[in-house]
Amino acid sequence: MEAIFKKNALPSRLESRLLFAVPKKGRLQQATLDLLAGSDIQFRRDHRLDIALVKNHPIALVFLPAADIPTFVGEGRVDLGITGQDQIFEHEATTPPEEETWAEEVLDLAFGYCRLQVQVPEKGAYAHPRDLIGRHICTSFVGLTKRYFARLEAQEKGVTNGDLSDNGTQLKTKIKHLSGSVEAACALGVADGIVDLVESGDTMKAAGLEAIDTVVESRAVLIKSKHPSNPKLVDMVASRIRGVIAAQQFVLCQYNIPRHLIPTATKITPGKRAPTITALDNADWLAVSSMVEKKRIATVMDELSDCGATDILVLDIANSR
């Protein structure tokens, strides 16, 4: 796979295309595909292939493990990528980026929220992270976990600046890599504690575990290489995705309001930049259109009704720029 992505060794069908890495499976994949569909990036993927050519733009989608995407984008093997910040942080912890080879975060994609947390058996012997110093820890995030415990051990030794890894001191805490089912490690006697991703917390609770600290918080992001092959196309893709996200977060609220109540109403619906106000045949009334956050719309409608607005409508937004 890596040989394919050496820019001077690309197959001819990919040479003129922007390479866009997306998760091939896992918790981020479906939301990513929905985002691409909303951005009118049209493709058909053969289930046996990890490359799909976009029909309506000179783009090739490359389906990769989310953990590998920061590496491919950072080294300039692909131009754009969607992955979780947890994977970026882990990449940084294991292979510190060089200024000219690291990727830039372009956009927060507003999905994939999770936390990388230190977890221990409920009602067990470990109530604080420092209780795990010198114990066995299992994780899929070895780099971040080593950095976390290096700092914890440094604090125990009274080192306030940096961590033990700065001077090459060996960790007392034993950290073991697991590629999956990390939550089972404590029950099976493999680990005293784990460091694993938590979304809803249901899996953690089902495994009889509780979180005692958060290592990092994460969400899905769009990243680009420092030197993309087609910067204009990168900007277009980012703009489209930004529009889809705005459309997902906002609705269009329309209503009629007596002219003298406009100052009160527009404080309730200020819009993203400003509301659109239109005159009606009745000179004493005005029509207002304004974008409102979806999560606030019920409260906004109540407040508008209370202040004298009528004919309040809420419309979905397909896209926005």
Side-chain angles (χ1 to χ4, degrees):
M1 176 70 78
E2 185 172 347
I4 293 176
F5 295 108
K6 290 181 179 178
K7 286 290 180 83
N8 58 0
L10 284 174
S12 57
R13 65 195 179 113
L14 299 181
E15 280 181 354
S16 60
R17 290 179 178 264
L18 186 86
L19 300 184
F20 189 169
V22 296
K24 68 185 296 183
K25 59 182 179 179
R27 64 187 185 87
L28 301 181
Q29 189 196 44
Q30 189 55 54
T32 297
L33 296 181
D34 293 343
L35 202 57
L36 296 178
S39 303
D40 194 32
I41 295 175
Q42 302 171 16
F43 68 95
R44 179 181 175 278
R45 180 192 179 195
D46 189 309
H47 71 279
R48 294 168 297 176
L49 298 178
D50 287 337
I51 295 177
L53 302 183
V54 173
K55 300 175 184 178
N56 55 337
H57 296 288
I59 299 172
L61 299 180
V62 185
F63 291 83
L64 296 169
D68 293 341
I69 290 174
T71 299
F72 280 97
V73 176
E75 294 183 0
R77 309 297 187 185
V78 298
D79 303 288
L80 273 175
I82 290 176
T83 190
Q85 288 175 316
D86 54 299
Q87 301 296 349
I88 296 171
F89 298 150
E90 174 67 10
H91 177 73
E92 290 175 345
T94 52
T95 53
E98 299 173 7
E99 185 178 349
E100 290 303 311
T101 61
W102 186 228
E104 295 179 10
E105 186 173 313
V106 178
L107 191 59
D108 177 350
L109 299 179
F111 69 84
Y113 296 100
C114 63
R115 299 173 303 281
L116 184 65
Q117 294 188 312
V118 182
Q119 302 167 41
V120 295
E122 291 180 308
K123 300 176 183 176
Y126 311 112
H128 190 279
R130 62 175 172 266
D131 298 333
L132 291 170
I133 292 176
R135 303 294 179 178
H136 290 84
I137 307 295
C138 284
T139 184
S140 299
F141 294 84
V142 172
L144 285 172
T145 302
K146 283 183 176 179
R147 177 185 290 176
Y148 175 86
F149 279 97
R151 289 174 179 165
L152 207 60
E153 291 185 23
Q155 290 170 9
E156 188 185 48
K157 292 179 178 291
V159 178
T160 56
N161 250 337
D163 57 50
L164 294 184
S165 60
D166 292 341
N167 56 27
T169 303
Q170 184 73 27
L171 283 179
K172 291 195 297 182
T173 309
K174 293 88 176 174
I175 297 167
K176 181 180 294 187
H177 177 265
L178 293 180
S179 58
S181 300
V182 178
E183 70 279 354
C186 292
L188 295 175
V190 180
D192 299 297
I194 66 170
V195 175
D196 200 18
L197 289 178
V198 176
E199 292 181 78
S200 66
D202 292 343
T203 302
M204 176 177 67
K205 291 173 184 174
L209 300 170
E210 62 179 352
I212 57 173
D213 199 10
T214 297
V215 179
V216 295
E217 295 186 350
S218 174
R219 64 192 70 192
V221 290
L222 177 70
I223 57 176
K224 69 175 182 178
S225 72
K226 288 281 189 181
H227 306 288
S229 61
N230 189 334
K232 186 175 180 180
L233 191 54
V234 167
D235 291 342
M236 185 212 74
V237 171
S239 178
R240 287 192 177 195
I241 290 176
R242 191 177 288 109
V244 174
I245 293 169
Q248 292 171 345
Q249 294 176 333
F250 288 85
V251 291
L252 185 65
C253 182
Q254 298 180 332
Y255 57 91
N256 296 330
I257 189 80
R259 184 180 292 270
H260 71 278
L261 293 175
I262 274 289
T264 302
T266 53
K267 284 181 181 177
I268 299 171
T269 58
K272 286 189 74 178
R273 182 169 289 111
T276 300
I277 302 174
T278 309
L280 298 177
D281 284 344
N282 186 332
D284 294 330
W285 286 74
L286 295 170
V288 179
S289 294
S290 182
M291 291 177 68
V292 176
E293 284 186 286
K294 273 185 182 179
K295 64 185 179 183
R296 294 188 58 247
I297 190 59
T299 301
V300 165
M301 291 178 75
D302 292 339
E303 293 176 357
L304 287 172
S305 183
D306 290 343
C307 89
T310 63
D311 310 315
I312 304 170
L313 301 176
V314 177
L315 308 174
D316 284 333
I317 300 171
N319 210 321
S320 172
R321 294 290 175 96

